[in-house]
């Protein structure tokens, strides 16, 4: 973490390319195009994921949440958390220095939000970071967002437990998570492409995603395909095309 290696494709910049962004290098674009060759729905899946983030943030804000810890926040794009929940306090955490540098530029005029370079697998480092301590009040309910990030982490369990332990009652965890439950024929190719570029990939089943919320009360409609989570409009495509589950859970 902390070093920019423009010769290696990185999930933050691959995702940015899939979303039509410009914060990516040649290796990111090459890998993203190879992913699109074997899985043409990957760009739409990225947009669907991003749309969930906005719905989940709105939901949490409607429940009275005024502070957000966005872990694996990525490169700023349409519908960042501080824009979707204006007036809230937001700490953006990512382990990609490019994502953090772009977030710092985006947030230059927003004193209530800050970007921090950090590894979500180091919860003490994240929670002790000065901007996090300044923005996130430990005794006030918080929404912890882990959107499209845990499938890059084979062993997130201890870190997750630490974040959940730090969340006061009334806090929320919101996440999306890639899966191969529908056995998409090209999923093995996509996993190989990521792994050959140095990223770990850990798709999880619906039950495994539910287990990530152990100790929390999963809110309706449960662990569902991402487009099915409180959709803004009737669905027009097969929700399984998202290749990811979404869930929001509340700490009792
Ligand atoms: C697919 S993007 C998702 C971005 C954003 N959460 C969203 O859903 O729009 C995954 C992000 O997680 C970040 N990431 C991956 N592993 C991480 C880790 N261990 N700690 C912090 N960020 C991580 C990547 O750099 C990338 O920006």
């Amino acid at each position: 973490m902390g070093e920019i290696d423009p010769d290696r494709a990185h999930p933050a910049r691959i995702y940015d390319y899939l979303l039509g962004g410009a914060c990516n290098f040649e290796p990111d674009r090459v890998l993203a195009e190879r992913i699109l060759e074997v899985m043409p729905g990957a760009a739409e899946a990225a947009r669907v994921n991003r749309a969930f983030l906005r719905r989940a943030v709105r939901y949490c804000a409607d429940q009275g949440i005024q502070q957000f810890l966005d872990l694996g926040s990525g490169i700023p794009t349409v519908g960042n958390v501080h824009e979707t929940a204006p007036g809230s306090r937001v700490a953006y955490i990512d382990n990609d220095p490019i994502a953090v540098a772009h977030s710092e530029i985006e947030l230059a005029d927003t004193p209530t939000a800050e970007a921090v370079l950090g590894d979500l697998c180091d919860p003490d480092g994240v929670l002790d970071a000065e901007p996090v301590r300044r923005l996130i009040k430990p005794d006030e309910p918080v929404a912890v967002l882990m959107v499209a990030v845990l499938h890059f982490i084979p062993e997130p369990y201890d870190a997750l437990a630490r974040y959940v332990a730090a969340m006061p009652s009334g806090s929320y965890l919101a996440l999306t998570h890639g899966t191969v439950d529908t056995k998409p024929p090209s999923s093995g190719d996509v996993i190989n492409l990521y792994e050959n570029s140095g990223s770990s990939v850990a798709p999880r089943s619906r039950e495994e995603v539910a287990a990530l919320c152990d100790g929390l009360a999963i809110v309706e409609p449960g662990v569902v395909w991402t487009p099915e989570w409180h959709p803004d409009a009737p669905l027009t495509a097969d929700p399984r095309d998202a290749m990811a589950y979404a869930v929001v859970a509340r700490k009792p």
Side-chain angles (χ1 to χ4, degrees):
M1 188 186 69
E3 286 177 18
I4 298 171
D5 181 358
D7 296 327
R8 182 173 92 73
H10 189 284
R13 302 181 310 246
I14 296 167
Y15 181 68
D16 176 69
Y17 181 83
L18 292 175
L19 287 172
C23 302
N24 43 72
F25 298 125
E26 186 64 14
D28 309 310
R29 296 189 278 275
V30 168
L31 192 70
E33 284 296 341
R34 291 182 68 192
I35 290 171
L36 288 169
E37 271 168 31
V38 295
M39 193 173 272
E44 180 58 16
R47 285 190 287 274
V48 162
N49 176 73
R50 194 73 195 168
F52 163 81
L53 174 71
R54 294 192 289 273
R55 298 198 303 282
V57 168
R58 274 204 319 262
Y59 175 89
C60 291
D62 287 347
Q63 311 309 308
I65 296 293
Q66 293 180 317
Q67 51 179 9
F68 294 83
L69 182 62
D70 187 356
L71 299 166
S73 48
I75 291 163
T77 181
V78 178
N80 297 301
V81 177
H82 68 284
E83 296 159 333
T84 306
S88 59
R89 302 182 309 284
V90 186
Y92 292 104
I93 314 294
D94 205 283
N95 68 354
D96 176 32
I98 298 281
V100 174
H102 281 275
S103 301
E104 283 170 346
I105 295 167
E106 166 87 18
L107 299 171
D109 296 326
T110 310
T112 51
E114 198 149 333
V116 179
L117 185 65
D119 182 347
L120 80 77
C121 297
D122 172 22
D124 289 326
V126 168
L127 295 170
D128 286 347
E130 190 279 326
V132 175
R133 281 191 284 115
R134 179 162 30 85
L135 290 165
I136 308 295
K137 298 179 185 162
D139 48 1
E140 178 183 319
V142 59
V144 175
L145 311 175
M146 298 189 182
V147 180
V149 61
L150 293 180
H151 48 233
F152 294 117
I153 302 178
E155 294 291 332
Y157 310 104
D158 289 350
L160 194 47
R162 175 75 179 89
Y163 291 111
V164 170
M167 287 159 50
S169 169
S171 296
Y172 288 85
L173 172 68
L175 61 89
T176 58
H177 201 297
T179 186
V180 292
D181 276 1
T182 57
K183 307 201 177 4
S186 49
S187 57
D189 295 337
V190 172
I191 291 170
N192 284 339
L193 285 168
Y194 272 109
E195 290 189 336
N196 290 341
S197 78
S199 297
S200 301
V201 183
R204 291 187 171 86
S205 67
R206 189 188 292 261
E207 291 70 26
E208 288 170 323
V209 172
L212 296 173
C213 302
D214 270 358
L216 304 174
I218 293 177
V219 306
E220 292 298 324
V223 182
V224 292
W225 295 105
T226 303
E228 293 177 326
W229 199 88
H230 293 263
D232 284 333
L235 304 187
T236 53
D238 185 340
R240 295 172 299 182
D241 293 348
M243 296 171 286
Y245 291 119
V247 62
V248 175
R250 182 179 188 276
K251 184 160 177 182

